[in-house]
Amino acid sequence: MGARQHDPGWPSMVQRRDGRSAPFDPERIETAIGRAARETGHPDTAVAAKVTRAVADELGRRAPGRPVTVEQIQDVVETQLSAAGFDDIARAYIIFRQQRAELRTAKRLLGVRDELKLSLAAVTVLGERYLLRDDRGRPAESTGEMMDRVAAFVAGAEDAYRAGSSAQWTERFSALLRGLQFLPNSPTLMNAGTPLGLLSGCVVLPLEDSLRSIFTTLGHTAEIHQAGGGTGYAFSQLRPAGEAVGSGGRASGPVPFLRLFDTAAEVVQLGGRRRGACMAVLDVSHPDIFDFIAAKSGTPAGLSHFNLSVGVTDAFMRAVARGGRHRLVNPRTGRIVSEVPAVEVFSAICEAAHRCGDPGLLFLDAINRANPMPDAGRIEATNPCGEVPLLPYESCNLGSVNLAQMNRGGRVDWDRLTEVVELGVRFLDDVIDVNAYPFPELDEASRATRKIGLGVMGLAELLATLGIPYDSAQGVRLAGRIAGHIQRTAHTVSARLAETRGAFPAFGRSRFAGTVPMRHAQLTSIAPTGTISLIAGTTAGIEPMFAIAYTRAILGRHLLEVNPYFDRLTRDRGLYHDELFTEIAQRGVVRGYHRIPAEIQSAFPTAGEIAPEWHLRMQAAVQRHVDAAVSKTVNLPAAATVDDVRVIYRGAWRAKVKGITVYRYGSREGQVLSFASPEPGVPHVDTSFAGGCVNRVCEF
């Protein structure tokens, strides 16, 4: 717009639809016209600039010295485009305007005020589960007000440290959240400033070999699930089925108790706001290991609230490789019950994973080599999706940086990434202080080590915007570089916070003792991000895209959704036509689609197109720069074999990741992304689908 951007004859203010006022910004008009122009094959930026000047001049004549409304601006844009002879651009602009109007109408039907301009799917989930409600059950806050509530409550911790007022940090945190550059885990969004008060995403709870311990943990589980948190357990200490007990009866073994916990999760869910998510781990040496392996793939199946993982050691994996034998040991007595070929156990694991996606593997030795508190005990369990191995009663306090917003001019904006990481670490540190733990053991364990899990979402979208294929050496290298930058920055911030706030209380007993004091025993973790990536409008965690276009059932209609960046790119490149997205939805993919240029095809692979070794290479590259673990799924086509699973599981151990999960398309009923029919077919997703939770129960 040049020197005329501040022409005194133009309006100075715009009245928004929500009643608020904002400065008149002609660049926003020019951007909208430019996008419609490019969509219709007019790449010349002078067109948009010329029409925008005409629009601003006309608005100034119609409302001299008075604010203009958004609707008035859009009406004038249409008339000026037509007057200038750009009827095709006007039609594209009108269609876009109609689509936005339909979206606003749908949000009103949901009763949600959305000044953040989120997707309809995001608003649907927020309205159902996250926004505060009035006495009549209607949403009582807008999407932006939710972010403000969370920011203000968390920033309340700042007053205790005299590092600026909480009001100053509220403003900074709110801008961060409203900008969708960083979001905390779901319980923080749900519960901050409410009577529930639990902000942690999940906890690991102990299970000892006694009814008192089991049912105490079951009660604690109900409290955690009621507040929206997830739970993880090691069932490895429970005596095997059939062993005599003091009452004269026989022990049930871990699997029946596992089903008890699953039933309890279902009951609590019926009165709660979100699905209970749990992780059950059993050591590979437990005598009931074969029953555990088959618990979700045999009859009866069920366990819909649980993910299963077998805890394996390096010794077990070496025995598999050399054809050795494996001992099954009674955990109560320490006696060897039997010896079996290690490969027999491993094959049972791979066959079950091929059938239904469970169990995954946890590599316990790799996990414990990174255990920051080895004197406190051996880590045996993780949170529901495996990204945070924890000791009993420790909690996950998670948040994720939106990498999709870290592209500046076709390059990673490292400075902005640093700023967001610094704010994210501080935010999560404050979360620990304002968190309301439902029982004292959680409070004590969480404060002793102050573990946080700063992760990412939007990696696949960032790579696509940079034109880098996810399944390429360049993509893997960049992902590792980003993870390393985040880890280094987070550790620097933690050391800086320790100078003013003190090191975590257990620092002197940690493996860091004698080094630079740290505020946190653990800082980084890669979560699946579930609903927070849906809210942010980006891809989940470090997962690839699962489909470029799909339909989602909302408000009784099947609405076609397209990856937002792919949508913008095709319109900006003049590739858009009315049937484009329907044709892509029929295919589910763009690779091999002749109407899309090769470089765009390359940058938009879907999970099913990516060879398993690239999934694993990506996970391993990121894991090398992550304190905790990485939640990542190796997606397999329906035709994949059990041998394919064997190769992946053994490769994961050699790659030194901390856990591994596979999912073969179609191997589980009710998966949240599915095709309506055999090829070709339109992918359908459920309301909550965000691209990262196809196979497992994961955090919403």
mmCIF file of all heavy atoms in Angstrom, residues 637-658:
data_model
loop_
_atom_site.group_PDB
_atom_site.id
_atom_site.type_symbol
_atom_site.label_atom_id
_atom_site.label_comp_id
_atom_site.label_asym_id
_atom_site.label_seq_id
_atom_site.Cartn_x
_atom_site.Cartn_y
_atom_site.Cartn_z
ATOM 1 N N PRO A 637 0.203 -50.396 6.207
ATOM 2 C CA PRO A 637 -0.963 -50.682 5.372
ATOM 3 C C PRO A 637 -1.652 -51.954 5.828
ATOM 4 O O PRO A 637 -1.075 -52.777 6.552
ATOM 5 C CB PRO A 637 -0.367 -50.834 3.971
ATOM 6 C CG PRO A 637 1.036 -51.279 4.211
ATOM 7 C CD PRO A 637 1.470 -50.587 5.473
ATOM 8 N N ALA A 638 -2.878 -52.144 5.377
ATOM 9 C CA ALA A 638 -3.646 -53.325 5.775
ATOM 10 C C ALA A 638 -2.947 -54.613 5.384
ATOM 11 O O ALA A 638 -3.089 -55.643 6.049
ATOM 12 C CB ALA A 638 -5.044 -53.264 5.151
ATOM 13 N N ALA A 639 -2.160 -54.579 4.287
ATOM 14 C CA ALA A 639 -1.500 -55.788 3.784
ATOM 15 C C ALA A 639 -0.193 -56.109 4.501
ATOM 16 O O ALA A 639 0.455 -57.116 4.186
ATOM 17 C CB ALA A 639 -1.231 -55.643 2.287
ATOM 18 N N ALA A 640 0.202 -55.291 5.472
ATOM 19 C CA ALA A 640 1.454 -55.554 6.190
ATOM 20 C C ALA A 640 1.397 -56.904 6.896
ATOM 21 O O ALA A 640 0.334 -57.370 7.307
ATOM 22 C CB ALA A 640 1.716 -54.444 7.198
ATOM 23 N N THR A 641 2.561 -57.525 7.068
ATOM 24 C CA THR A 641 2.640 -58.859 7.658
ATOM 25 C C THR A 641 3.183 -58.796 9.075
ATOM 26 O O THR A 641 3.710 -57.771 9.518
ATOM 27 C CB THR A 641 3.551 -59.759 6.813
ATOM 28 O OG1 THR A 641 4.896 -59.245 6.896
ATOM 29 C CG2 THR A 641 3.108 -59.783 5.359
ATOM 30 N N VAL A 642 3.092 -59.905 9.774
ATOM 31 C CA VAL A 642 3.687 -60.011 11.105
ATOM 32 C C VAL A 642 5.197 -59.811 11.022
ATOM 33 O O VAL A 642 5.804 -59.194 11.911
ATOM 34 C CB VAL A 642 3.355 -61.372 11.740
ATOM 35 C CG1 VAL A 642 4.074 -61.528 13.082
ATOM 36 C CG2 VAL A 642 1.845 -61.518 11.946
ATOM 37 N N ASP A 643 5.822 -60.305 9.967
ATOM 38 C CA ASP A 643 7.260 -60.094 9.798
ATOM 39 C C ASP A 643 7.597 -58.611 9.704
ATOM 40 O O ASP A 643 8.657 -58.180 10.180
ATOM 41 C CB ASP A 643 7.763 -60.825 8.554
ATOM 42 C CG ASP A 643 7.942 -62.319 8.786
ATOM 43 O OD1 ASP A 643 8.056 -62.709 9.967
ATOM 44 O OD2 ASP A 643 7.977 -63.080 7.800
ATOM 45 N N ASP A 644 6.721 -57.820 9.095
ATOM 46 C CA ASP A 644 6.947 -56.374 9.044
ATOM 47 C C ASP A 644 6.989 -55.795 10.455
ATOM 48 O O ASP A 644 7.818 -54.923 10.762
ATOM 49 C CB ASP A 644 5.836 -55.692 8.239
ATOM 50 C CG ASP A 644 5.863 -56.064 6.770
ATOM 51 O OD1 ASP A 644 6.965 -56.307 6.240
ATOM 52 O OD2 ASP A 644 4.779 -56.111 6.153
ATOM 53 N N VAL A 645 6.092 -56.272 11.314
ATOM 54 C CA VAL A 645 6.086 -55.795 12.703
ATOM 55 C C VAL A 645 7.374 -56.214 13.408
ATOM 56 O O VAL A 645 7.977 -55.423 14.143
ATOM 57 C CB VAL A 645 4.850 -56.329 13.454
ATOM 58 C CG1 VAL A 645 4.869 -55.878 14.914
ATOM 59 C CG2 VAL A 645 3.564 -55.874 12.763
ATOM 60 N N ARG A 646 7.814 -57.460 13.182
ATOM 61 C CA ARG A 646 9.064 -57.924 13.803
ATOM 62 C C ARG A 646 10.233 -57.020 13.427
ATOM 63 O O ARG A 646 11.058 -56.640 14.273
ATOM 64 C CB ARG A 646 9.366 -59.355 13.369
ATOM 65 C CG ARG A 646 8.459 -60.419 13.947
ATOM 66 C CD ARG A 646 9.018 -61.807 13.674
ATOM 67 N NE ARG A 646 8.139 -62.854 14.154
ATOM 68 C CZ ARG A 646 7.276 -63.520 13.393
ATOM 69 N NH1 ARG A 646 7.199 -63.248 12.084
ATOM 70 N NH2 ARG A 646 6.488 -64.447 13.910
ATOM 71 N N VAL A 647 10.319 -56.677 12.163
ATOM 72 C CA VAL A 647 11.426 -55.834 11.680
ATOM 73 C C VAL A 647 11.388 -54.471 12.371
ATOM 74 O O VAL A 647 12.419 -53.940 12.794
ATOM 75 C CB VAL A 647 11.347 -55.684 10.151
ATOM 76 C CG1 VAL A 647 12.308 -54.598 9.671
ATOM 77 C CG2 VAL A 647 11.665 -57.013 9.468
ATOM 78 N N ILE A 648 10.203 -53.911 12.497
ATOM 79 C CA ILE A 648 10.071 -52.586 13.122
ATOM 80 C C ILE A 648 10.440 -52.644 14.601
ATOM 81 O O ILE A 648 11.197 -51.803 15.110
ATOM 82 C CB ILE A 648 8.641 -52.059 12.941
ATOM 83 C CG1 ILE A 648 8.363 -51.801 11.463
ATOM 84 C CG2 ILE A 648 8.428 -50.780 13.749
ATOM 85 C CD1 ILE A 648 6.897 -51.702 11.137
ATOM 86 N N TYR A 649 9.917 -53.635 15.329
ATOM 87 C CA TYR A 649 10.178 -53.714 16.767
ATOM 88 C C TYR A 649 11.665 -53.949 17.046
ATOM 89 O O TYR A 649 12.240 -53.353 17.965
ATOM 90 C CB TYR A 649 9.317 -54.809 17.392
ATOM 91 C CG TYR A 649 7.904 -54.356 17.747
ATOM 92 C CD1 TYR A 649 7.414 -53.128 17.342
ATOM 93 C CD2 TYR A 649 7.065 -55.159 18.510
ATOM 94 C CE1 TYR A 649 6.131 -52.716 17.670
ATOM 95 C CE2 TYR A 649 5.776 -54.758 18.853
ATOM 96 C CZ TYR A 649 5.323 -53.530 18.418
ATOM 97 O OH TYR A 649 4.060 -53.120 18.756
ATOM 98 N N ARG A 650 12.296 -54.800 16.264
ATOM 99 C CA ARG A 650 13.734 -55.011 16.477
ATOM 100 C C ARG A 650 14.524 -53.782 16.052
ATOM 101 O O ARG A 650 15.508 -53.404 16.707
ATOM 102 C CB ARG A 650 14.195 -56.248 15.709
ATOM 103 C CG ARG A 650 13.629 -57.554 16.275
ATOM 104 C CD ARG A 650 14.097 -58.781 15.510
ATOM 105 N NE ARG A 650 15.530 -58.992 15.630
ATOM 106 C CZ ARG A 650 16.187 -60.013 15.103
ATOM 107 N NH1 ARG A 650 15.513 -60.929 14.407
ATOM 108 N NH2 ARG A 650 17.479 -60.148 15.267
ATOM 109 N N GLY A 651 14.108 -53.136 14.972
ATOM 110 C CA GLY A 651 14.787 -51.920 14.533
ATOM 111 C C GLY A 651 14.667 -50.799 15.548
ATOM 112 O O GLY A 651 15.599 -50.004 15.726
ATOM 113 N N ALA A 652 13.531 -50.711 16.223
ATOM 114 C CA ALA A 652 13.337 -49.679 17.233
ATOM 115 C C ALA A 652 14.304 -49.860 18.394
ATOM 116 O O ALA A 652 14.849 -48.882 18.925
ATOM 117 C CB ALA A 652 11.894 -49.713 17.737
ATOM 118 N N TRP A 653 14.512 -51.100 18.812
ATOM 119 C CA TRP A 653 15.476 -51.362 19.890
ATOM 120 C C TRP A 653 16.876 -50.954 19.460
ATOM 121 O O TRP A 653 17.598 -50.287 20.212
ATOM 122 C CB TRP A 653 15.426 -52.840 20.278
ATOM 123 C CG TRP A 653 16.486 -53.251 21.253
ATOM 124 C CD1 TRP A 653 16.656 -52.779 22.523
ATOM 125 C CD2 TRP A 653 17.532 -54.204 21.033
ATOM 126 N NE1 TRP A 653 17.742 -53.386 23.119
ATOM 127 C CE2 TRP A 653 18.300 -54.271 22.231
ATOM 128 C CE3 TRP A 653 17.887 -55.023 19.958
ATOM 129 C CZ2 TRP A 653 19.406 -55.103 22.356
ATOM 130 C CZ3 TRP A 653 18.974 -55.860 20.093
ATOM 131 C CH2 TRP A 653 19.729 -55.898 21.277
ATOM 132 N N ARG A 654 17.259 -51.312 18.250
ATOM 133 C CA ARG A 654 18.597 -50.944 17.766
ATOM 134 C C ARG A 654 18.738 -49.427 17.613
ATOM 135 O O ARG A 654 19.838 -48.887 17.774
ATOM 136 C CB ARG A 654 18.884 -51.640 16.436
ATOM 137 C CG ARG A 654 19.108 -53.149 16.555
ATOM 138 C CD ARG A 654 19.690 -53.718 15.283
ATOM 139 N NE ARG A 654 18.739 -53.606 14.169
ATOM 140 C CZ ARG A 654 17.874 -54.545 13.838
ATOM 141 N NH1 ARG A 654 17.822 -55.682 14.537
ATOM 142 N NH2 ARG A 654 17.054 -54.369 12.818
ATOM 143 N N ALA A 655 17.637 -48.741 17.315
ATOM 144 C CA ALA A 655 17.682 -47.286 17.136
ATOM 145 C C ALA A 655 17.704 -46.530 18.461
ATOM 146 O O ALA A 655 17.820 -45.305 18.478
ATOM 147 C CB ALA A 655 16.481 -46.831 16.309
ATOM 148 N N LYS A 656 17.576 -47.273 19.575
ATOM 149 C CA LYS A 656 17.668 -46.694 20.916
ATOM 150 C C LYS A 656 16.542 -45.713 21.231
ATOM 151 O O LYS A 656 16.723 -44.743 21.966
ATOM 152 C CB LYS A 656 19.038 -46.028 21.132
ATOM 153 C CG LYS A 656 20.192 -47.008 21.117
ATOM 154 C CD LYS A 656 21.528 -46.306 21.343
ATOM 155 C CE LYS A 656 22.655 -47.302 21.562
ATOM 156 N NZ LYS A 656 22.789 -48.307 20.505
ATOM 157 N N VAL A 657 15.347 -45.968 20.663
ATOM 158 C CA VAL A 657 14.181 -45.220 21.119
ATOM 159 C C VAL A 657 13.704 -45.853 22.427
ATOM 160 O O VAL A 657 14.163 -46.930 22.817
ATOM 161 C CB VAL A 657 13.059 -45.209 20.063
ATOM 162 C CG1 VAL A 657 13.544 -44.550 18.788
ATOM 163 C CG2 VAL A 657 12.547 -46.614 19.771
ATOM 164 N N LYS A 658 12.797 -45.200 23.124
ATOM 165 C CA LYS A 658 12.377 -45.689 24.441
ATOM 166 C C LYS A 658 11.089 -46.498 24.405
ATOM 167 O O LYS A 658 10.729 -47.141 25.391
ATOM 168 C CB LYS A 658 12.257 -44.506 25.408
ATOM 169 C CG LYS A 658 13.613 -43.856 25.668
ATOM 170 C CD LYS A 658 13.515 -42.650 26.569
ATOM 171 C CE LYS A 658 14.889 -42.024 26.774
ATOM 172 N NZ LYS A 658 14.833 -40.782 27.567
#
